[in-house]
Amino acid sequence: MANTEHQQYGPTDIKGSVLDLIGNTPLLALDRIWPGPGRILAKCEFLNPAGSIKDRSAYSMLKYAKEEGRLKPGAPIIEVTSGNQGCGIAFVGAVMGHPVTLTMSAGNSPQRAEMMVGFGARCDRVPQVEGKPGNVTLADVDAATAAAQKIIDSTPDIFYVNQFNNPNNCRAHEEATGPEIYRQTGGRIDAYVATLGTAGSFVGTSRYLKRQNPAIKCVVVEPAGAEVIAGKEVTKPLHLLQGSGYGKVPELFDYEVMDEAMNVTDEEAVEYKKLLGSKEGLYLGYTSGANVAAAVKLLKSGKLPPDAWVVTLLNDTGLKYSELHK
Ligand SMILES: Cc1ncc(COP(=O)(O)O)c(C=O)c1O
């Protein structure tokens, strides 16, 4: 039938673009892994459009760069990435109408590069100088940064996102992730625990939560042997927590919002990655396993009230990893 003015339609529910699908992720109780007392409540960041928490910072950094005039219409964009940030930048750049180049250590999984290419971006995989596939070190990230710098130097008007030094990275979480968590728990949160890559998600979320209630315990999760926030010497730069634990205090980190740091071993991260699959039906990456392992350790530590609610992040989907690495 023709669309006439007499036709009656119901209310619509249509998103204008994939950008409207970023954030507002559900908060899920992991009651099968931790039946109590207390609760682990996990933010389903793997449900973001490109499968990770970094979609939030990608949009925030590009949106504000455009508003602030640092990203010109149609100008090229470049970023150094361990994969997740690059996937986010690639799809947000595509929708905003910018050509995107990513440099990434070849030690990060090829699935990430494939996704970036799927969004029409270019991904240069930079050979590793120190680590091995699945274990990416600071020196490997530095090599990917040097490769990006060469492109930046020879490309006029290119916008370098620079997630490690960009305050609009934290802002995504201070403006959205933190408020979402506070609203979803009705303000009942005893602790928030999370790994650090750039520290954008930890710092932005903790800043908001601490402003609502300074008693919320904000706990950093670090790979055992690469505990720089805890002030320890790095004895194990190679670990499985891809996208986090680079063996250096991130530029965006803020000790003011942290109460304590905990460590998680590769074995613990793998154990909880597997339990997330077999008990909760969630196929996720290693930092999600690490976050849940840390939440369990914190609940067992006796440092919180017995019925404490601990919030953490399920950072990305397991589909971003090569199981063949191990
Ligand atoms: C899998 C994974 N987990 C955690 C993080 C940490 O996020 P942030 O950079 O906000 O500290 C990242 C960052 O890339 C990541 O890729």
Side-chain angles (χ1 to χ4, degrees):
M1 185 200 275
N3 183 0
T4 71
E5 59 193 273
H6 306 295
Q7 180 81 44
Q8 290 294 305
Y9 296 108
T12 61
D13 183 6
I14 300 167
K15 304 291 184 193
S17 83
V18 70
L19 303 180
D20 295 335
L21 308 187
I22 298 170
N24 281 315
T25 53
L27 188 67
L28 184 67
L30 303 182
D31 292 346
R32 285 135 296 271
I33 283 183
W34 184 261
R39 261 186 146 182
I40 299 175
L41 304 172
K43 195 85 171 120
C44 295
E45 294 305 304
F46 59 95
L47 292 179
N48 279 298
S52 93
I53 190 164
K54 304 295 285 192
D55 296 355
R56 293 177 182 266
S57 49
Y59 187 36
S60 169
M61 291 189 288
L62 296 186
K63 180 180 70 175
Y64 288 121
K66 199 151 206 169
E67 274 181 31
E68 292 157 9
R70 289 180 293 114
L71 172 60
K72 308 268 184 292
I77 294 171
I78 189 160
E79 180 61 318
V80 183
T81 181
S82 67
N84 280 332
Q85 187 69 87
C87 293
I89 297 285
F91 86 83
V92 174
V95 174
M96 288 172 67
H98 298 269
V100 173
T101 302
L102 291 318
T103 66
M104 179 175 84
S105 169
N108 291 117
S109 68
Q111 286 87 338
R112 296 154 190 237
E114 281 163 24
M115 190 186 251
M116 292 173 221
V117 171
F119 293 129
R122 165 178 150 194
C123 178
D124 292 352
R125 300 188 69 217
V126 180
Q128 288 190 274
V129 291
E130 187 176 60
K132 59 184 174 54
N135 298 117
V136 176
T137 69
L138 187 58
D140 295 326
V141 177
D142 287 345
T145 307
Q149 194 59 52
K150 276 195 192 152
I151 299 171
I152 294 165
D153 292 343
S154 61
T155 315
D157 278 339
I158 195 164
F159 174 67
Y160 175 29
V161 182
N162 201 357
Q163 56 171 321
F164 280 91
N165 291 282
N166 190 329
N168 292 330
N169 172 353
C170 295
R171 194 169 168 185
H173 304 287
E174 196 169 345
E175 289 181 351
T177 319
E180 286 170 31
I181 290 171
Y182 200 74
R183 177 176 48 77
Q184 288 167 313
T185 54
R188 179 177 168 183
I189 317 170
D190 294 279
Y192 166 68
V193 293
T195 52
L196 302 183
T198 63
S201 50
F202 179 83
V203 169
T205 303
S206 299
R207 227 172 238 158
Y208 179 85
L209 293 177
K210 288 271 187 200
R211 253 200 328 268
Q212 308 315 305
N213 177 4
I216 297 171
K217 220 177 185 14
C218 294
V219 179
V220 164
V221 181
E222 299 191 279
E227 296 153 68
V228 289
I229 302 295
K232 295 187 186 162
E233 200 187 318
V234 177
T235 53
K236 190 177 175 294
L238 300 185
H239 55 77
L240 286 176
L241 308 191
Q242 265 187 71
S244 86
Y246 290 113
K248 173 177 147 192
V249 177
E251 278 79 1
L252 296 174
F253 191 66
D254 179 0
Y255 276 95
E256 287 283 304
V257 298
M258 178 192 90
D259 292 285
E260 66 175 276
M262 292 176 66
N263 74 29
V264 164
T265 63
D266 280 354
E267 291 72 24
E268 289 169 326
V270 169
E271 180 190 347
Y272 278 90
K273 178 186 186 307
K274 286 184 181 159
L275 285 173
L276 281 161
S278 62
K279 285 195 178 280
E280 302 285 355
L282 297 165
Y283 185 56
L284 303 172
Y286 292 92
T287 60
S288 303
N291 278 343
V292 176
V296 168
K297 287 210 266 193
L298 189 61
L299 279 159
K300 284 181 178 168
S301 71
K303 289 178 183 168
L304 300 176
D307 61 348
W309 283 13
V310 176
V311 174
T312 194
L313 305 174
L314 302 177
N315 286 312
D316 69 356
T317 164
L319 295 172
K320 295 213 179 194
Y321 298 81
S322 292
E323 298 293 337
L324 296 176
H325 280 157
K326 294 160 298 309

